[in-house]
Amino acid sequence: QGRLLIPQILRDYSGLGEEVMLVGMGHKVEVWSMKKWAKIFAELQNDFASVQTAISELQKNESSTKRGK
């Protein structure tokens, strides 16, 4: 029936409510509270945007340095 039963004690411990997010991690699947996942995912998106900007700046600086030689 496509169900995954998680014991109440584990749901209480992890803060799982009615809505959850299943996240594939290599050979594992993690079960997250939807609220907690949304918060973490938003933080990861911000971090990713920062990394993208930093890489873009490095590439610009590298291109400028190569042209200057």
Side-chain angles (χ1 to χ4, degrees), residues 44-58:
L44 290 174
Q45 283 183 315
N46 290 337
D47 289 346
F48 182 72
S50 298
V51 169
Q52 268 186 315
T53 301
I55 290 172
S56 178
E57 290 299 317
L58 286 173

Side-chain angles (χ1 to χ4, degrees), residues 27-68:
H27 298 286
K28 301 176 186 177
V29 175
E30 294 182 353
V31 181
W32 286 75
S33 154
M34 185 60 88
K35 289 179 184 178
K36 288 181 182 179
W37 174 253
K39 180 181 175 191
I40 295 292
F41 188 72
E43 290 172 8
L44 290 174
Q45 283 183 315
N46 290 337
D47 289 346
F48 182 72
S50 298
V51 169
Q52 268 186 315
T53 301
I55 290 172
S56 178
E57 290 299 317
L58 286 173
Q59 288 173 336
K60 286 178 190 176
N61 291 340
E62 186 176 297
S63 295
S64 297
T65 303
K66 285 182 181 178
R67 278 187 249 141

